[in-house]
Amino acid sequence: MNLYLNLLLLTNALVIRSISASSAFPGNYVFNKPQVRVTTTFADFDARIMDQWGNGGGPFVQISNTSHHPFQYRTLGGAKRAEICGTRAFGSGYPYGAKDPSSVAGRPFPFGTWPLWWDQNFMGSGEYGPHLDAIRPGGMLVTVPLQTTTEHFNITDEEAYHIVGDKESVLLLMISYVTWCHITPAWPSRFDPTRSNSTVRLENVVRYYRASSFAISSPNYNNTFARSSLSNSTESTPLPPSIEYSPFL
């Protein structure tokens, strides 16, 4: 993976920053800059802001134990954009808080977003499942196909990709992809890994990003280590040459 899609994701993915809602206006307002609020309390309209071009970082915040939030006491924020890239192992991409490589349950939220969830409560991911879609930062999990033509890239029939993540992140990245990567416009659909016809499987993930809250996958890739590896594992099935050396990806 070496070029357009990977590069655009690294530079354009939503990451949380240090400014709270109470101080976000007017001095820190950027016209038409993509932003998403991460609300964890009902007090004082306070929130953290995820934005598309920020560097991330800022102080750590603990979700209040008086907030009635399902993940109270957990740490939020602190991660920088430079730390956004993970591996092909689910649970990777955490700059801190990944003490147990066999589970994502109970982990903090370095980038403000929650990790993806997989079927059979894989690695404890069920606690971030669809029952909490109403409060998931960025909205429910969705997926969208990434398609282009040989007019711009010399791609083969073996190349096909999907991205999966929260709705706002996917939509904002699609704007970047369509604008700069010659991606065919497509609207997202709900991500449900329990469906037999799901277009994205755990074994299809080419790389995780942002504390495993976002991923690029290919139906032409089958990682046989996906369900047995730990989040700090470097074991994975090699990518096929069509993906490994793709100028598109």
Side-chain angles (χ1 to χ4, degrees), residues 15-225:
V15 296
I16 203 163
R17 60 189 175 94
S18 58
I19 297 173
S20 66
S22 58
S23 63
F25 300 97
N28 294 291
Y29 177 71
V30 179
F31 179 72
N32 208 30
K33 185 176 184 179
Q35 296 180 330
V36 172
R37 290 170 55 92
V38 180
T39 301
T40 58
T41 178
F42 295 110
D44 302 323
F45 295 98
D46 195 32
R48 300 295 294 276
I49 305 295
M50 292 193 298
D51 60 35
Q52 195 170 18
W53 301 305
N55 290 324
F60 300 97
V61 173
Q62 187 179 62
I63 299 176
S64 170
N65 65 332
T66 61
S67 65
H68 301 283
H69 195 276
F71 301 128
Q72 57 188 350
Y73 293 108
R74 297 199 197 179
T75 302
L76 185 78
K80 298 179 180 179
R81 183 173 295 278
E83 300 168 314
I84 202 171
C85 200
T87 67
R88 288 191 277 278
F90 181 57
S92 65
Y94 279 77
Y96 68 87
K99 295 180 179 180
D100 181 1
S102 67
S103 176
V104 295
R107 288 190 184 185
F109 310 116
F111 296 96
T113 48
W114 304 349
L116 306 178
W117 68 276
W118 293 105
D119 56 307
Q120 301 175 19
N121 192 30
F122 180 68
M123 288 183 61
S125 61
E127 73 172 19
Y128 310 106
H131 62 291
L132 292 178
D133 275 353
I135 61 170
R136 175 180 280 272
M140 67 180 183
L141 293 181
V142 298
T143 183
V144 67
L146 303 179
Q147 298 175 330
T148 187
T149 67
T150 54
E151 176 185 351
H152 299 288
F153 295 96
N154 185 26
I155 64 173
T156 69
D157 292 338
E158 296 179 5
E159 285 198 67
Y161 304 103
H162 291 81
I163 54 175
V164 58
D166 63 90
K167 177 175 64 70
E168 292 300 322
S169 293
V170 167
L171 284 172
L172 292 173
L173 275 168
M174 280 300 290
I175 294 173
S176 298
Y177 285 160
V178 170
T179 303
W180 293 303
C181 293
H182 308 289
I183 292 291
T184 303
W187 293 101
S189 58
R190 178 183 289 272
F191 171 67
D192 183 355
T194 65
R195 292 172 53 187
S196 59
N197 62 344
S198 176
T199 56
V200 179
R201 298 286 183 187
L202 179 70
E203 294 81 4
N204 300 148
V205 173
V206 174
R207 177 170 286 174
Y208 290 99
Y209 299 87
R210 208 179 56 179
S212 289
S213 66
F214 202 95
I216 292 180
S217 72
S218 172
N220 298 318
Y221 176 60
N222 182 40
N223 182 7
T224 59
F225 293 90

